[in-house]
Amino acid sequence: MRVQLSFIGTGKYQPCIYVWNDQRFKTPYFQEAAFQFFEPEDCLVLMTEEAERKHGKALRNRLRLRIRKRLRKHIRKRLRKFIAYRPIRIPDGRTEDELWEIFSTLTKHIPQNATLIVDVTHGFRTQPMLALAALYYLRVARNVEIERIVYGAFEARNPETNEAPVFDLTPFLTLIDWSVAAHQFMRYGQAEDLARLIREIHRWTHVERAGVRARHAAPAASWLQGFARGLALARVTEVMTKHARRLPEALEQVRQEVNRIARLRPFELLLDQTAERVRLLYHDNPLSLDGLHLQAELIRLLLAYGLVQQAVTVAREAVVTRYALDLGRDPLQDREAVEHELNRLASGLQDQAVRAGYTSEARHLAELWNTLTKVRNDINHAGMRSHPETTANLHRLASELAEKAANWIARDVDQPE
């Protein structure tokens, strides 16, 4: 269902000719013009008690006339459609409780899967801002689609012709999309929505903007998405040797397009911060001592993103690598043997005599490996064990262990364990 959502205040509205593309409509109420231009099936007009007292009757009469004319047109075309006008009473919005009441009113009257035409022309005080915030929430909660946001610019009318343009504000809705996508990436390391936005703009320049075509935006989106997926799947070598090198390069290439393509400008704020964060992880040999220092930073980044399971996985494998290097073994070719040695060291904790013979460094490693293995197994077996940890304890323990492992693998060669 296509629904028009409008507001009306208490102002003195004067007639003018509103212009939308090649359509013109004369009225003192832009709500009526929007109804004529976009032909919704349902028209909701939110108004306070004072606004209803001042304009409710006149607006109702005008919109009902529009509805009758459209219904006659539908009958001629043998179409059956239900078209309604619904005035919705709302409070002034002077208090926080009243603002939440307006939000509840919006959610109550806007149906699931609705397609919205949002008219913010005559919103009173904070009403349009609140409406847009609520509608963005409804996009997720009720699968609402915002087709158009319009503003009838009476103040920009031509004094000679009395024609006022209708501004399409829909593109600025993507600023909210950018905000959410940027938050997802910077806080949680999730890049799917951010990559989608960049690709959509890349396609838009090729379909609708023959003069300015993006060349580097889509590749940058792919490297961004690849980096995030690499983190989510704990692809240590690929992230450090490939994505940490190519993503900063791709971001630098897209910078020139950001300056030429206005819709890409929100991405500019993320370029330097993302490039710096990713570039610090680059190393051509993650299995070296220097590479392990950067693996420690990778573990901390995973923890910062809330990717605790991945942090534990990387930490456990990094401990194997560091112990192999400490023993002078190859961290790949001798990996199975090194893991066996770590298991033997951990099992010695169960024997008091063996444990008594451990140095403090050996005991620390044995305890770290023993607990790290248990936590990793508890996570990977989805709690399908006889005595699994509770979620709260497991999250805390896993985070602490990953940090301890990061410190251990990044210690200096002559630093005690």
Side-chain angles (χ1 to χ4, degrees), residues 43 83 90 154 224 237 247 254 259 320 347 376 396:
C43 179
I83 305 173
I90 57 173
F154 177 83
L224 190 70
T237 300
L247 177 55
V254 84
N259 295 330
V320 177
S347 65
R376 194 283 305 264
R396 175 186 56 77

Side-chain angles (χ1 to χ4, degrees), residues 120-323:
V120 296
T121 305
H122 297 309
F124 182 58
R125 293 198 183 103
T126 60
Q127 289 172 359
M129 181 183 298
L130 176 63
L132 289 177
L135 294 177
Y136 196 87
Y137 179 79
L138 291 177
R139 287 176 72 181
V140 178
R142 288 195 178 165
N143 196 36
V144 167
E145 177 189 352
I146 302 176
E147 176 184 321
R148 190 85 59 186
I149 303 174
V150 292
Y151 177 80
F154 177 83
E155 67 281 2
R157 71 192 184 285
N158 185 324
E160 296 181 2
T161 63
N162 201 30
E163 291 184 342
V166 177
F167 295 152
D168 184 2
L169 306 181
T170 314
F172 290 96
L173 186 65
T174 59
L175 284 175
I176 303 177
D177 293 327
W178 276 100
S179 176
V180 173
H183 177 72
Q184 287 175 342
F185 176 66
M186 300 306 294
R187 178 62 184 85
Y188 303 109
Q190 299 170 3
E192 299 298 321
D193 286 346
L194 189 56
R196 174 183 54 79
L197 285 170
I198 298 170
R199 289 195 183 99
E200 286 176 355
I201 294 171
H202 185 105
R203 282 194 296 271
W204 172 78
T205 66
H206 286 262
V207 173
E208 298 187 28
R209 292 285 300 274
V212 182
R213 292 189 175 185
R215 293 178 53 240
H216 304 294
S222 295
W223 283 111
L224 190 70
Q225 189 176 54
F227 171 73
R229 288 178 175 178
L231 292 181
L233 295 172
R235 304 290 89 186
V236 175
T237 300
E238 186 175 349
V239 165
M240 294 180 64
T241 64
K242 185 178 179 181
H243 295 295
R245 177 173 62 87
R246 295 297 302 277
L247 177 55
E249 294 173 356
L251 295 178
E252 188 58 37
Q253 287 179 323
V254 84
R255 186 185 300 276
Q256 56 188 293
E257 293 180 351
V258 168
N259 295 330
R260 294 186 295 116
I261 301 170
R263 291 191 184 187
L264 274 175
R265 285 175 190 166
F267 191 41
E268 183 178 18
L269 301 178
L270 301 178
L271 290 177
D272 292 337
Q273 189 174 356
T274 301
E276 181 180 0
R277 176 178 290 184
V278 175
R279 190 182 292 112
L280 292 174
L281 299 176
Y282 172 71
H283 201 281
D284 58 1
N285 184 10
L287 301 181
S288 65
L289 286 174
D290 288 341
L292 282 170
H293 278 80
L294 296 186
Q295 280 202 50
E297 294 306 313
L298 176 59
I299 292 168
R300 295 185 181 105
L301 179 60
L302 290 168
L303 289 174
Y305 281 149
L307 299 173
V308 177
Q309 180 176 3
Q310 293 85 342
V312 168
T313 298
V314 173
R316 183 185 182 279
E317 296 305 314
V319 168
V320 177
T321 299
R322 179 61 198 258
Y323 194 52

Side-chain angles (χ1 to χ4, degrees), residues 10-113:
T10 59
K12 296 180 180 180
Y13 304 125
Q14 302 174 33
C16 73
I17 302 170
Y18 288 104
V19 180
W20 172 256
N21 295 334
D22 58 350
Q23 299 183 69
R24 284 168 169 76
F25 190 83
K26 185 176 182 179
T27 177
Y29 296 113
F30 180 73
Q31 298 86 347
E32 183 186 11
F35 187 83
Q36 179 73 15
F37 294 152
F38 303 108
E39 298 191 347
E41 299 161 76
D42 199 4
C43 179
L44 308 179
V45 180
L46 276 64
M47 59 186 73
T48 64
E49 182 179 359
E50 184 181 355
E52 184 176 20
R53 185 168 54 250
K54 194 166 186 178
H55 297 292
K57 183 177 179 180
L59 180 61
R60 180 178 67 247
N61 291 339
R62 284 177 168 273
L63 286 173
R64 285 180 176 176
L65 177 61
R66 293 294 115 212
I67 290 173
R68 287 197 295 271
K69 288 185 176 182
R70 195 184 311 165
L71 286 174
R72 285 198 294 269
K73 182 175 66 174
H74 289 163
I75 291 172
R76 287 196 300 271
K77 294 183 178 181
R78 297 182 179 181
L79 297 175
R80 291 184 178 180
K81 278 197 172 184
F82 176 78
I83 305 173
Y85 160 61
R86 290 188 287 161
I88 308 296
R89 177 77 67 81
I90 57 173
D92 289 340
R94 297 176 186 273
T95 67
E96 182 178 344
D97 286 343
E98 288 187 350
L99 291 175
W100 282 115
E101 187 178 341
I102 295 173
F103 171 81
S104 297
T105 301
L106 284 170
T107 58
K108 176 182 177 182
H109 288 91
I110 295 174
Q112 183 88 12
N113 302 320

